[in-house]
Amino acid sequence: MLVLCLGVMAGYLLGGLVTARAVFRQERERFLRAGGARTATDAADGGLVRRFERQERQQTEAFALCAGALWPVALPLLALHGLFGAVALDRGRTGVAARPDPAAVAARIDELERELRLDAPAFPLPSPAPPSGGFRRTERTEQPAGAARARPRGSD
């Protein structure tokens, strides 16, 4: 009975380690591909690996360890990643742009500005006016640094 329990625990740990390693490798490759690298040598030449090590490694390790601890759930999701992404996350739809075309956005902004007549500022900017006669401007005399502190209190 003890051997069976130890075998089950060892199998669970082995499954967790293998899953964590696979998830880490997959996430690392995904980061490198998102950075434009097609192969590992492209990534090493472009400095993407250094950027991964500096920015993403810790969170990727944490995610991989969580996936390894939950490997009975994570393995089927990894195996059916494409199907899961298409069905549950709605990634499979085509024709729907994730980001609008920048030229279309600029054209729409121009159209809205014309409709609102925003070619010129809506309110003219005020011109700097000379000080009014109600306030008198006094000139400050320069004092050496610390002169104000050197005067005794109550002498004003």
Side-chain angles (χ1 to χ4, degrees), residues 127-133:
S127 61
S132 63

Side-chain angles (χ1 to χ4, degrees), residues 7-138:
V8 168
M9 288 180 63
Y12 190 86
L13 287 175
L14 182 63
L17 290 173
V18 169
T19 303
R21 186 176 179 102
V23 167
F24 179 80
R25 187 174 293 145
Q26 181 183 21
E27 292 297 316
R28 181 176 181 266
E29 292 301 319
R30 183 177 297 153
F31 178 84
L32 296 177
R33 273 190 316 243
R38 291 184 189 10
T39 63
T41 56
D42 288 346
D45 293 342
L48 285 173
V49 173
R50 286 190 304 273
R51 198 168 87 201
F52 172 80
E53 294 292 328
R54 191 175 57 246
Q55 294 176 354
E56 300 290 324
R57 185 176 183 92
Q58 289 180 343
Q59 69 185 21
T60 303
E61 285 175 348
F63 180 72
L65 288 175
C66 289
L70 299 171
W71 70 267
V73 175
L75 273 182
L77 290 177
L78 287 172
L80 301 173
H81 177 72
L83 177 66
F84 181 75
V87 173
L89 302 177
D90 199 21
R91 287 189 195 154
R93 289 197 297 166
T94 59
V96 178
R99 294 183 184 167
D101 181 34
V105 171
R108 180 69 177 146
I109 290 172
D110 290 341
E111 177 186 340
L112 291 173
E113 285 177 348
R114 278 192 306 275
E115 286 179 11
L116 294 172
R117 296 184 183 112
L118 292 178
D119 294 335
F123 300 102
L125 297 174
S127 61
S132 63
F135 294 102
R136 190 177 69 166
R137 187 171 182 196
T138 59

